[in-house]
Amino acid sequence: MAYDVLFGVVLTFGAGMLAQWVSWRLRLPAIVLLFAMGLLFGPVLGWLHPSETLGHAFRPLVSMLVALIVFEGGMVLDIRQLREAGQGVARLTMVALPINWILGALAAHYVAHLEWGTSFLFGAIIVVTGPTVILPLLRSAKLQPRVAAFLRWEAIVNDPLGAILAAVVMQIMLLHVDLHKQIFFVHTLPDMLLAGAVSVAAGILPAYLLRYLFTRDLMPELLKVPIMVTLALIIFEACTLVMEGAGLIAVTVFGMMLTNLHIPGLNELKRTKESLVVLMVSVLFILLTADLHRAVLARLSIPILLLTLVVLFVVRPLCIFLATLGTSISWQERIFVGWIAPRGIVAAAVAGAAGIKLSEAGYASADLVMPAVFCVIAVTMICHGFSLGPLARRLHLTLSNEPALVILGGNAWSTDLAACLNEEKVPVLLVDTTAQELMPAARRGVPVLKAELLSAAGQEALEERPADYLIATTGDAIYNGMVCGHMAPHMGRERVYQVSPGVARLDLYRGLSRDARGKVLGEPGWNYTFFDTLFSRGWRFVCQSVTDATVDLFGKEENRLDLLIVRRGTGIFVRSAEDRAWTMPSMGDLVISMRAPESRDEGADVKEEAELRAGA
């Protein structure tokens, strides 16, 4: 027994992390790989039997992990984003949810021939577009901020509301109560409203308590994340005892309040929780999928498959169309949101528990709830996971998919670098805190942003532009390091660079800590003064496509400093002395170099000769 548990834990964690890495490397939706691994290890090979191995602890464990995932999802709900996309979010939650419920119930009854009670339960379950699926997909897609806000808010807000709705429907069915009878309005509805009020209060008050403790130095940094996680679990369990599903509302409100109270240092804590949530999502998807019995898969039938297609192509699009009538949402956004609605962990967990209870209560079609919901989950995760990016690009709802560079500091030579990249259609953004420093770049057609990247406003402004790499080029080495340290968790520590702070400061023991600065741009001696002096002597940045004649010259020619390699659709490789081995250019790459005046003239002659040969 102990060996089975250990084998299951190791297999689940290892497979989950492998799926996450492969999906990142190949730019695939991680959810689909996790789902496939769960099916492989569970129903197909029979290696994992989570509910049998863990027994009665399995469902509570799943509920706790779901609560923590929803809590982390609540921490990304910033009220400022709601103001920007508020009308659409309100329609997608308050209006679309009941429409989706009714249409889903009608489809279940008339297409899959489920009983009315079971049909309404199915409709309640599928209104949930889980954050466990949506949030990982949004991290890998460069959606426009407003569209991303629509999907994010809908998933996180509808998640607990859908769970509560399903719990109410199930409670009514177990009591065999007609919706029109007085008992619903006398008992069930007041209980539901009371549970909602208790949940909101239970989420708000602990958030203010944590702000009091954190801002008055009454909590050591080491305990902040454990205290937040523990409080979230206590809140979830306490509110779940009041009513099934109320705990999800409470932890969502708790997370949202923490974010909008703007507690200092919370961003670092959120990054720690994000890493934990990636692990939890990976484990949960594999466990829940592996726990599907072959008997459930055997109940899949033509009516259930037809029901799934109706949910995808009729219920969801019609629901979004009706809910967004009279709003400013564009037709592209309606099509996109009407299609993208993957279901996830909460739907699976609710369906599993509800199906068992209703079967024991004597409902004939209750055994079909889990297969029907599983089919919707599987098809939506696969179809929506793979189609989200292509559809968004087709509807022009994405930011640029080309690797993009942010250059911090509007000095003369960084402006020339940005202009050189911009002329070659490489996405680039020049950022500075003063408009005067940005004017020369703006005159040359370079996209500019006046913002402080260490501020919340600057970070929000940067989220609206594609940003994959950063080079800090200001004359203040400490400021460059602060910005690189601030942006490293978002972009990646190997993607933030700064001009050298000086050879002495790069000492690994006595110099600036690697965690407090970016990677060095070029060689240790290439500091700000070095580049500024070269520019004053006439050196300029030049872009050159790699050919057979130039492929082996990277970093070897005199009077030429090779700094960047741009590989279209793949990435930007920045030369750094801290790399053990340089990435060498390939045919078709773009090399950006700083060249002396005489070297630029020679390069122009070579380029002209190559063009003449190509024309001949």
Side-chain angles (χ1 to χ4, degrees):
M1 178 67 178
Y3 174 79
D4 291 341
V5 173
L6 179 61
F7 173 76
V9 169
V10 172
L11 181 63
T12 303
F13 276 66
M17 292 301 97
L18 177 63
Q20 291 285 356
W21 181 81
V22 170
S23 66
W24 170 80
R25 191 68 180 172
L26 301 181
R27 299 186 179 183
L28 298 173
I31 299 303
V32 177
L33 295 182
L34 294 169
F35 190 77
M37 283 188 171
L39 284 179
L40 178 65
F41 297 146
V44 177
L45 298 177
W47 292 354
L48 289 180
H49 306 282
S51 58
E52 296 178 10
T53 305
L54 298 177
H56 296 297
F58 178 64
R59 289 295 169 186
L61 176 64
V62 169
S63 299
M64 289 169 53
L65 293 178
V66 169
L68 292 178
I69 293 169
V70 173
F71 167 54
E72 195 274 335
M75 294 184 74
V76 303
L77 296 181
D78 197 319
I79 295 297
R80 288 183 293 245
Q81 296 176 346
L82 182 61
R83 294 193 191 103
E84 180 181 340
Q87 186 184 32
V89 169
R91 292 295 189 96
L92 291 175
T93 52
M94 299 298 108
V95 180
L97 188 145
I99 296 175
N100 203 356
W101 176 37
I102 300 300
L103 293 178
L106 293 174
H109 181 72
Y110 289 108
V111 176
H113 311 297
L114 303 183
E115 297 168 283
W116 274 116
T118 312
S119 297
F120 277 105
L121 177 65
F122 173 82
I125 293 173
I126 65 165
V127 302
V128 173
T129 58
T132 55
V133 187
I134 287 291
L135 295 181
L137 290 177
L138 293 182
R139 289 190 187 102
S140 60
K142 291 183 177 180
L143 293 180
Q144 293 177 0
R146 189 166 107 141
V147 182
F150 286 158
L151 295 177
R152 185 185 301 115
W153 277 84
E154 181 198 16
I156 296 173
V157 173
N158 279 2
D159 209 45
L161 293 180
I164 282 188
L165 180 60
V168 170
V169 172
M170 185 173 65
Q171 182 180 359
I172 293 171
M173 292 176 65
L174 292 175
L175 294 173
H176 296 279
V177 175
D178 190 341
L179 281 174
H180 298 286
K181 290 187 177 180
Q182 186 179 5
I183 189 171
F184 174 75
F185 297 98
V186 174
H187 296 288
T188 306
L189 185 60
D191 289 346
M192 185 174 66
L193 296 176
L194 176 62
V198 170
S199 301
V200 172
I204 292 175
L205 296 178
Y208 277 99
L209 172 63
L210 285 189
R211 185 178 72 166
Y212 178 87
L213 295 174
F214 289 3
T215 57
R216 283 166 174 76
D217 197 24
L218 299 176
M219 184 71 64
E221 294 293 325
L222 186 65
L223 289 180
K224 287 184 177 180
V225 170
I227 289 293
M228 284 197 302
V229 171
T230 303
L231 260 180
L233 291 175
I234 292 173
I235 293 167
F236 169 75
E237 184 59 31
C239 293
T240 301
L241 292 176
V242 176
M243 184 175 186
E244 190 73 28
L248 293 178
I249 289 183
V251 292
T252 301
V253 174
F254 180 44
M256 192 170 71
M257 286 299 300
L258 286 175
T259 290
N260 290 278
L261 287 175
H262 306 296
I263 302 172
L266 194 64
N267 284 334
E268 288 76 10
L269 303 179
K270 285 164 68 175
R271 284 194 285 269
T272 303
K273 280 192 81 278
E274 284 176 4
S275 300
L276 293 175
V277 164
V278 170
L279 181 62
M280 288 187 288
V281 167
S282 305
V283 169
L284 270 178
F285 261 99
I286 291 179
L287 289 181
L288 285 175
T289 311
D291 200 50
L292 288 170
H293 297 288
R294 294 179 183 177
V296 172
L297 301 179
R299 294 192 192 102
L300 295 176
S301 60
I302 297 299
I304 288 180
L305 294 176
L306 290 175
L307 173 60
T308 301
L309 295 177
V310 170
V311 169
L312 262 70
F313 294 102
V314 178
V315 172
R316 172 70 178 186
L318 182 58
C319 165
I320 297 302
F321 174 76
L322 294 175
T324 56
L325 284 175
T327 66
S328 60
I329 299 177
S330 67
W331 67 267
Q332 293 97 331
E333 292 170 335
R334 288 184 185 181
I335 291 176
F336 184 74
V337 177
W339 170 246
I340 300 299
R343 277 67 172 186
I345 287 174
V346 173
V350 173
I356 294 173
K357 291 181 180 179
L358 294 181
S359 294
E360 294 172 350
Y363 285 91
S365 60
D367 290 340
L368 298 177
V369 172
M370 186 59 186
V373 172
F374 163 76
C375 193
V376 172
I377 293 172
V379 174
T380 55
M381 277 201 301
I382 294 172
C383 294
H384 298 169
F386 282 111
S387 64
L388 185 146
L391 179 62
R393 288 191 291 272
R394 181 79 175 176
L395 295 173
H396 305 292
L397 296 176
T398 59
L399 303 171
S400 174
N401 200 39
E402 286 292 320
L405 175 67
V406 174
I407 300 176
L408 175 66
N411 52 68
W413 62 269
S414 65
T415 298
D416 188 58
L417 171 60
C420 177
L421 291 166
N422 189 56
E423 288 171 2
E424 295 294 331
K425 309 300 182 185
V426 177
V428 63
L429 179 68
L430 188 64
V431 182
D432 204 288
T433 55
T434 60
Q436 183 178 358
E437 299 294 335
L438 296 173
M439 286 177 61
R443 291 194 199 102
R444 299 177 66 175
V446 176
V448 297
L449 173 65
K450 179 181 175 295
E452 171 56 77
L453 292 187
L454 294 178
S455 69
Q459 191 136 350
E460 288 176 9
L462 196 59
E463 288 177 359
E464 299 176 4
R465 318 284 186 97
D468 302 291
Y469 303 84
L470 179 138
I471 300 177
T473 66
T474 73
D476 188 341
I478 301 300
Y479 177 73
N480 290 340
M482 290 177 64
V483 173
C484 288
H486 183 68
M487 299 303 299
H490 304 282
M491 293 183 176
R493 197 160 294 281
E494 299 300 310
R495 294 187 172 201
V496 290
Y497 296 81
Q498 69 178 94
V499 291
S500 175
V503 177
R505 285 182 168 181
L506 295 178
D507 184 275
L508 293 178
Y509 181 66
R510 296 178 179 82
L512 291 173
S513 169
R514 179 66 179 84
D515 293 330
R517 61 171 176 83
K519 291 179 71 174
V520 173
L521 173 65
E523 298 298 327
W526 297 1
N527 57 17
Y528 178 86
T529 305
F530 173 80
F531 284 109
D532 199 43
T533 302
L534 291 182
F535 188 83
S536 66
R537 293 176 179 175
W539 287 56
R540 295 295 183 267
F541 285 97
V542 176
C543 297
Q544 182 181 4
S545 294
V546 177
T547 62
D548 286 329
T550 60
V551 69
D552 296 323
L553 299 179
F554 185 76
K556 298 177 181 178
E557 285 191 276
E558 295 183 1
N559 295 326
R560 164 180 159 179
L561 304 180
D562 294 321
L563 292 179
L564 287 82
I565 300 171
V566 177
R567 192 162 293 163
R568 302 284 187 181
T570 301
I572 297 176
F573 304 97
V574 183
R575 179 179 173 182
S576 174
E578 295 182 90
D579 288 331
R580 293 187 177 181
W582 293 348
T583 298
M584 302 305 292
S586 304
M587 292 287 294
D589 288 350
L590 196 67
V591 173
I592 292 85
S593 312
M594 195 177 194
R595 294 188 174 188
E598 60 274 13
S599 176
R600 291 204 312 276
D601 294 338
E602 293 173 5
D605 293 339
V606 171
K607 183 177 180 181
E608 183 178 354
E609 183 180 350
E611 290 174 350
L612 288 173
R613 287 179 180 175

